[in-house]
Amino acid sequence: MTSVSEAMKNRHSIRHYVQEPIPRADLEEILRLTSLAPSAWNVQPWRFTVVTDPVKKAQLQAAANNQKQVGHAPAVIVVASDMEDVLANPREFAHPEMTEEQKDHLVQTIQSTFGPQSVEQRGQWALAQTYISLGFLLLAAQEKGIDSSPMLGFDPEKVKALFHLPDHVQIAALVALGKGAEPGRPHHRHSLDRIATFV
């Protein structure tokens, strides 16, 4: 079994994929692992649209600056956040071991924190939480031997329209998934001296 550190070291962004479908069970397991990502108050604002239909992938590719990996990958996951859905179901993310009083307190905290904010403000907050799940998704795929390519180049309004997502939804990324038809480039990363300060 691949360790987390091995998945980190071996993951590369891949743009050409072997043309074979990813088993549904593998996609579901990747998303189950992704859902273990942490979020403040455990609100879990991330939502995923898994695109495998060739016609839909072609339409998504057009909305993603015609990036070839969108149409070429066996599956593409639209990683989105929906804070309005979270607020509409405030007890859904309360831990089952909480007492009713604790759940009530959590709901009041969430409402008092986000109620005064605009839809855009709380949407941006939820988007930041969702980016944590994006990292989990990339590593979960790599652990199963599935290559990936995260993308931020797309028209969010076109993506939302394509999958009938509400206007308030924020799109964090598109992630192409599949077996790489070519190796990725070796890692080229800054040294710790360049990016880290110990105080």
Side-chain angles (χ1 to χ4, degrees):
M1 186 174 189
T2 303
S3 68
V4 174
S5 61
E6 287 172 332
M8 289 177 172
K9 292 173 183 176
N10 294 330
R11 204 212 72 80
H12 302 273
S13 289
I14 300 297
R15 291 169 177 79
H16 294 280
Y17 295 90
V18 175
Q19 296 302 293
E20 61 182 46
I22 301 172
R24 171 73 174 262
D26 287 350
L27 291 169
E28 290 181 352
E29 179 62 13
I30 287 168
L31 291 178
R32 269 192 287 271
L33 292 170
T34 300
S35 73
L36 296 175
S39 58
W41 289 298
N42 197 38
V43 297
Q44 307 167 67
W46 38 76
R47 304 292 183 265
F48 307 101
T49 301
V50 183
V51 187
T52 58
D53 178 76
V55 174
K56 286 292 186 183
K57 282 194 297 173
Q59 294 170 333
L60 181 58
Q61 182 175 357
N65 302 327
N66 206 36
Q67 295 181 81
K68 60 188 175 185
Q69 61 266 44
V70 177
H72 201 256
V76 181
I77 298 181
V78 179
V79 181
S81 67
D82 190 344
M83 192 59 185
E84 299 310 297
D85 184 38
V86 169
L87 295 176
N89 301 279
R91 299 179 81 86
E92 190 178 58
F93 52 83
H95 197 282
E97 293 182 4
M98 284 182 167
T99 65
E100 288 305 308
E101 183 179 354
Q102 289 172 325
K103 292 178 182 178
D104 289 340
H105 178 71
L106 175 62
V107 170
Q108 291 170 3
T109 300
I110 294 295
Q111 290 174 339
S112 64
T113 300
F114 296 103
Q117 296 181 9
S118 67
V119 171
E120 178 66 23
Q121 286 174 320
R122 54 193 181 229
Q124 287 299 311
W125 180 89
L127 188 61
Q129 302 292 313
T130 299
Y131 281 125
I132 302 172
S133 76
L134 174 59
F136 272 53
L137 171 58
L138 298 177
L139 294 179
Q142 189 65 40
E143 188 269 337
K144 293 200 72 66
I146 296 174
D147 296 302
S148 62
S149 178
M151 294 160 281
L152 299 180
F154 52 85
D155 184 324
E157 298 310 314
K158 289 181 180 178
V159 174
K160 285 188 278 189
L162 181 58
F163 299 108
H164 309 290
L165 302 176
D167 288 342
H168 62 260
V169 164
Q170 300 283 334
I171 310 296
L174 308 180
V175 180
L177 295 175
K179 297 278 188 179
E182 61 183 15
R185 290 181 177 175
H187 290 302
H188 173 64
R189 298 293 188 265
H190 293 308
S191 67
L192 280 184
D193 290 342
R194 177 71 175 86
I195 63 173
T197 301
F198 293 82
V199 297

